């Protein structure tokens, strides 16, 4: 059925169809979440096991290896990585992208449960969690004149968290800085020695006595009552009179053995805003939620909380929402600008406001219904999907342009609007369907690309394909119908201008010298490929987000106070930079950028400075130049290792060196780090090679310990309780109405400054407490501060800042390094992080390109019912390469993800021009009886203008993106540049080369048909 003729006869049903589609699209647009990038879910499960005070080497042997061996056998595991620090073993299990994350979480929990009995008994319960959040969205600082630091900390932990978890889309609230409340019982070593007791004995008695326990039930009269034993105190001061049993049978008041304070635990992290200590908290959103709506909800909840709590003020110190908002608004502006420019092209060619208005209708009626499909697929309005819509702005009017131009041409033949609309739509129908279906055939395979890059392409492919198919529906249903009732009759036919006559003369010459024409185009294509090695390659182009995350590392063993002092010293050195708006620093905790491989784990020796530069347009220097300035100003900080933590992909190179022999691994790591420094242009190069931390090593003497009745575990418990306190789960608790406060028994920090104290610690023996030095040798030593493991092997991870260099170029230089080319036996190198995604990207691109071309061929085969004509149409594809690669090279844009999107688009766009020419040439031969030569010349005469119009409209739609007229277009620009360059060469050459290719393919088809006929006639009966 001819749907165009049906719509012309029955306009109301067609209008109703698009009314319903637009209502659904507007509803989908209202519901669609807004984010910066697509929510790419890594199916990852993390197993965290804590044993406070345990060394990394001990945890690796007793915990990490057992967990790794167990989870490595699960179905769908891609890789297992572990990080072991003091007291914490973290194992991350990354599954294949096709694995169901909830099922993987359950399988991991079951695997850890099976080995729980084999793990040390004094570990805290293993924590198995899935990674579902994408980094901190916003960070706020809290200030109050009425609350102390401990009260503010509890206010954040209770009131702020409670308020924010009521906001839809908030996944996690994490406090930074502040302190935890704790009852401290600081023992007096001299008093313990005088009374003949130990820190462990005091702690054990408190833990046994300071409890509340159920004690059964009884019958009293006709009622049943429960029994409860209550031995807890309501106030820390009551503990001073708590009786402690002594070994000789006497007892002593706890107040005579220790100083008791209801204060705060030793701080483990510090937050600073422009040098002033603050209590802060960060907020992460759930996957699939809108960043803008979450930010609005958080702002409203905090405003309400501030109203209810006089004297409390919230200040936003970091946020990624501004980047998302700017990206969203600039994308929408580019969409509108591109649409207006495309329509301007239509008017310049047709000089008919009615025809321009009819073409303009195609844009909103193609884009608005696309939002409904995006919502149905679970997409968001992000940089990728909005890029897809920006990209297809020119394409969406193409079908309408072709339809309306053909209708206007028929009107100029003297036909009535109804007759012109029916005949023109029927004449161009196959060509319009073929052009749209070939574009969809390019975009749909892109949605099935593998790996992380495929996750980016998925939303792009489906969004673009959907919009193109809706544009086809508009072109076949609405455009002819509106034209039939709105256009006016034209009584004259346009004459050929001098430009058309010159072009047709060129076509005639190309047809007469077709082999020379094809040879020149082949040489052009080969020359285009020669440009590729000259273009730098990377994953995603650098984007100036106006914020740098500078990480400072000090040597292992550095105390929190010293790291805080160095962080402040660094801030003071940077204060003179005029572009620096604000510095937010965290010490002892990590910055959540959504990727634990980039941030590592929090340690007292690490600090992160968030440097706020403001928006790019408000300053003269870009972010990279400012980061180089920062590195130069801090170069003289002694004993400091600096690196930038990037939340943007494509800014760091990661390389993993793995092996089983720790010493061999360490030696190779030193050599490779030296070689990496020889690569020019890189920023900071950091290595996870085990830095040694200072230790006091206690080695029990078995003979003396046996004689005095002291076990190794007694020695360990005595030292641990006295210096850092017992494990949290064993501590006595102070019960308050709203929470429990741990009661920590141990020596004060001032007492522990005396190194001789360790030897004088008392250990319970069979004849009473004995000094630790009597049963053990105490010496200075060292051990690894961090142990990294990859695929159940020790590894060293090298991270190099690209500092603006192309990832692909740096990877080529790394592969030439001696240690990488010939690694020592037993060691291997693995590309991870952005380098791994980079390889997946280009591999997937090649697959998607081949699949796209194959799909185009099959679509054209079905539409034209000819095996060879699709080859003629595909001849235009290589003609894009020269313009695309040349434009990237001239404008100094890298070959990256958006540029590859542009190249894939060009495959479909180039075939559009060919289809218009070939379709009319076939029709002129078959229906009008023209010769091959005359049919091709007539096709070029009739279809050259719509080809040029659609090309200019497409280029005009891309122009705002290429010029960056709205906001930061660094991500989109390479795509627009590649498309515009490819359009220029493809259109200019295909108008001449396609007719020549048509004659060759058509003659080849005729020769094959003759051969087949001859073989049939000569075949024996």
């Amino acid at each position: 059925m001819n749907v165009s003729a049906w719509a012309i006869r029955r306009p109301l049903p067609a209008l109703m169809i698009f009314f319903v589609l637009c209502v659904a699209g507007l509803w989908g647009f209202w519901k669609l979440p807004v984010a910066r990038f697509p929510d790419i879910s890594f199916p990852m499960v993390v197993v965290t096991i804590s044993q406070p005070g345990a060394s990394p080497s001990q945890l690796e042997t007793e915990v990490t290896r057992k967990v790794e061996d167990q989870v490595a056998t699960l179905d769908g595991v891609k890789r297992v990585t572990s990080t072991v620090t003091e007291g914490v073993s973290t194992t991350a299990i990354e599954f294949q992208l096709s694995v169901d994350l909830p099922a993987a979480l359950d399988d991991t929990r079951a695997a850890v449960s099976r080995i729980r009995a084999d793990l040390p008994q004094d570990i805290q319960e293993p924590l198995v969690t899935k990674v579902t959040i994408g980094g901190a969205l916003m960070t706020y600082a809290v200030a109050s004149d009425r609350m102390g630091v401990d009260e503010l900390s509890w206010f954040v932990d209770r009131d702020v968290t409670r308020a924010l978890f009521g906001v839809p889309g908030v996944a996690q609230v994490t406090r930074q800085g502040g302190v935890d409340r704790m009852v401290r019982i600081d023992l007096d070593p001299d008093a313990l020695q005088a009374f003949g007791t130990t820190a462990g004995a005091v702690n054990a008695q408190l833990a046994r006595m300071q409890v509340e326990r159920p004690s059964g039930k009884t019958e009293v009269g006709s009622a049943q009552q429960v029994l409860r034993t209550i031995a807890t105190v309501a106030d820390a001061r009551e503990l001073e009179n708590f009786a402690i049993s002594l070994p000789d049978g006497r007892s002593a008041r706890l107040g005579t053995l220790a100083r008791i304070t209801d204060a705060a635990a030793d701080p483990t992290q510090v937050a600073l805003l422009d040098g002033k200590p603050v209590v802060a908290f960060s907020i992460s959103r759930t996957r699939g939620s809108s960043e803008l709506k979450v930010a609005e909800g958080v702002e409203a909840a905090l405003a309400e909380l501030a109203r209810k709590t006089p004297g409390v003020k919230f200040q936003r110190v970091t946020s990624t929402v501004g980047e998302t908002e700017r990206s969203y608004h600039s994308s929408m502006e580019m969409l509108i600008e591109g649409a207006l420019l495309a329509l301007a092209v239509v008017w310049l060619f047709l000089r008919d406001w009615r025809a321009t208005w009819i073409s303009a209708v195609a844009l909103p009626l193609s884009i608005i219904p696309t939002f409904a499909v995006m919502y149905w697929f679970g997409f968001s309005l992000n940089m990728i999907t909005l890029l897809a819509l920006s990209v297809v702005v020119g394409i969406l009017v193409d079908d309408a342009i072709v339809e309306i131009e053909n209708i206007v041409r028929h009107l100029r033949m003297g036909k009535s609007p109804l007759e012109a609309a029916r005949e023109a739509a029927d004449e161009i129908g196959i060509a319009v369907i073929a052009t749209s279906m070939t574009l969809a055939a390019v975009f749909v395979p892109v949605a099935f690309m593998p790996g992380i890059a495929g996750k980016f392409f998925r939303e792009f492919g489906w969004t673009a394909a959907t919009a193109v198919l809706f544009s086809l529906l508009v072109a076949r249903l609405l455009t002819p119908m509106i034209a039939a009732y709105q256009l006016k009759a034209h009584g004259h036919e346009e004459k050929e201008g001098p430009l058309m006559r010159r072009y047709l003369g060129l076509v005639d010459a190309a047809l007469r010298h077709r082999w020379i024409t094809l040879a020149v185009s082949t040489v052009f294509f080969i020359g285009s490929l020669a440009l590729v090695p000259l273009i730098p390659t990377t994953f995603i182009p650098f984007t100036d987000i106006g914020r740098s995350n500078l990480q400072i590392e000090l040597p292992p063993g550095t105390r929190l106070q010293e790291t805080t002092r160095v962080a402040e010293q660094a801030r003071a050195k940077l204060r003179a930079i005029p572009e620096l708006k604000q510095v937010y620093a965290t010490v002892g905790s990590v910055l959540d950028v959504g990727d634990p491989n980039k941030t590592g784990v929090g340690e007292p020796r690490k600090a992160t400075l968030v440097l706020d530069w403001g928006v790019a347009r408000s300053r003269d220097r870009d972010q990279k130049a400012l980061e180089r300035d920062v590195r130069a100003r801090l170069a003289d900080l002694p004993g400091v290792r600096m690196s930038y933590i990037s939340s943007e992909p494509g800014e760091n190179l990661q390389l993993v060196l793995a092996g089983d022999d720790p010493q061999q691994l360490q030696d190779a790591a030193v050599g490779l780090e030296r070689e990496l420094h020889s690569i020019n242009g890189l920023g900071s190069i950091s290595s996870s090679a085990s830095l040694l931390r200072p230790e006091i090593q206690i080695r029990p003497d078995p003979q003396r310990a046996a004689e005095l009745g002291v076990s190794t575990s007694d020695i360990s418990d005595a030292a641990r309780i006295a210096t850092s306190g017992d494990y949290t789960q064993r501590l006595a608790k102070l019960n308050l109405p709203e929470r429990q406060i741990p009661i920590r028994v141990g020596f004060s920090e001032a007492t522990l400054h005396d190194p001789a104290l360790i030897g004088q610690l008392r250990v319970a023996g069979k004849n009473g407490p004995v000094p630790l030095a009597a049963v053990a040798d105490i010496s200075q030593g060292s051990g690894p501060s961090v142990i990294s493991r990859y695929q159940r092997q020790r590894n060293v991870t090298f991270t190099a800042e690209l500092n603006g260099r192309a990832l692909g170029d740096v990877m080529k230089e790394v592969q030439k390094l001696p240690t990488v080319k010939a690694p020592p036996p037993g060691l291997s190198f693995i590309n991870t992080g952005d380098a791994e995604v980079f390889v997946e990207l280009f591999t997937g691109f090649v697959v998607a390109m081949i699949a796209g071309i194959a799909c185009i061929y099959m679509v054209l085969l079905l539409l034209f019912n000819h095996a060879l004509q699709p080859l003629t149409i595909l001849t235009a594809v290589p003609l894009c390469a020269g313009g695309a690669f040349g434009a990237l090279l001239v404008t100094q844009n890298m070959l990256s993800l958006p540029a590859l999107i542009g190249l894939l688009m060009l495959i479909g766009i180039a075939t559009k021009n060919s289809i218009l020419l070939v379709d009319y040439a076939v029709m002129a031969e078959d229906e009008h009886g023209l010769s091959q030569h005359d049919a091709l010349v007539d096709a070029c005469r009739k279809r050259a203008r719509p080809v040029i119009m659609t090309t200019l409209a497409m280029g005009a739609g891309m122009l705002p993106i290429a010029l960056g007229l709205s906001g930061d277009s660094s991500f989109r620009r390479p795509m627009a540049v590649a498309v515009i360059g490819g359009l220029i060469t493809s259109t200019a050459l295909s108008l001449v080369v396609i007719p020549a290719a048509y004659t060759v393919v058509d003659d080849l088809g005729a020769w094959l048909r003759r051969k087949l006929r001859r073989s049939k006639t000569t075949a024996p009966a």
Side-chain angles (χ1 to χ4, degrees), residues 232-245:
T232 56
V233 295
D235 192 284
R237 287 173 294 185
E238 297 180 32
L239 290 173
E240 293 189 359
N241 297 318
F242 189 85
I244 299 295
S245 299

Side-chain angles (χ1 to χ4, degrees), residues 109-258:
R109 281 203 184 103
V112 175
S113 298
R114 286 194 293 271
I115 61 167
R116 178 62 181 88
D118 298 331
L119 301 177
Q121 295 305 305
D122 51 3
I123 63 169
Q124 295 181 7
E125 198 60 29
L127 187 63
V128 183
T129 56
K130 60 181 179 180
V131 178
T132 57
I133 52 179
L137 190 65
M138 296 177 290
T139 303
Y140 286 85
V142 191
S144 174
D145 296 333
R146 304 181 182 184
M147 299 185 193
V149 176
D150 56 337
E151 292 173 304
L152 265 181
S153 302
W154 176 240
F155 175 74
V156 169
D157 293 342
R158 183 187 59 178
D159 298 325
V160 172
T161 302
R162 186 182 300 166
L164 293 184
F165 276 135
V167 176
V170 172
Q172 184 173 306
V173 180
T174 306
R175 174 164 58 85
Q176 297 170 346
V179 293
D180 295 316
R181 185 176 170 186
M182 175 181 283
V183 176
R184 303 178 63 103
I185 299 180
D186 295 328
L187 297 169
D188 183 349
D190 296 331
L192 290 181
Q193 187 172 359
F195 283 100
T197 190
T198 65
V202 175
N203 180 74
Q205 288 187 54
L206 269 176
R208 286 196 306 269
M209 300 294 293
Q210 185 66 21
V211 293
E212 182 176 332
R213 291 284 188 269
S215 305
K217 57 187 176 180
T218 185
E219 301 287 341
V220 179
S222 60
Q224 187 183 74
Q225 295 186 357
V226 297
L227 300 177
R228 194 155 55 102
T229 302
I230 304 173
T232 56
V233 295
D235 192 284
R237 287 173 294 185
E238 297 180 32
L239 290 173
E240 293 189 359
N241 297 318
F242 189 85
I244 299 295
S245 299
L246 302 176
D248 58 6
R250 295 179 300 156
S251 65
R253 289 174 57 253
L254 184 58
T256 63
L257 301 175

Side-chain angles (χ1 to χ4, degrees), residues 802-816:
L802 297 179
N803 203 20
R805 289 201 58 188
L807 177 60
D809 293 348
V810 175
M811 285 175 63
K812 290 176 185 176
E813 293 186 41
V814 168
Q815 297 300 323
K816 296 177 183 177

Side-chain angles (χ1 to χ4, degrees), residues 831-901:
N831 284 323
T832 61
D834 294 340
E836 181 184 23
V837 176
F838 176 79
V839 175
E840 282 183 352
L841 171 67
F842 282 88
T843 305
F845 166 72
V846 173
V847 173
M849 177 175 280
I850 295 171
I853 292 173
C855 289
I856 288 175
Y857 178 83
M858 289 186 285
V859 167
L860 294 176
L861 186 68
L862 292 172
L863 291 172
F864 285 97
N865 195 28
H866 197 293
L868 295 179
Q869 289 302 351
L871 297 179
T872 305
I873 294 169
L874 289 171
T875 308
V877 173
L879 304 178
C880 306
F885 294 140
L888 289 172
L889 187 63
V890 169
T891 58
Q892 297 182 344
N893 281 286
M894 297 184 188
L895 190 60
S896 56
L897 172 66
L900 293 181
I901 290 175

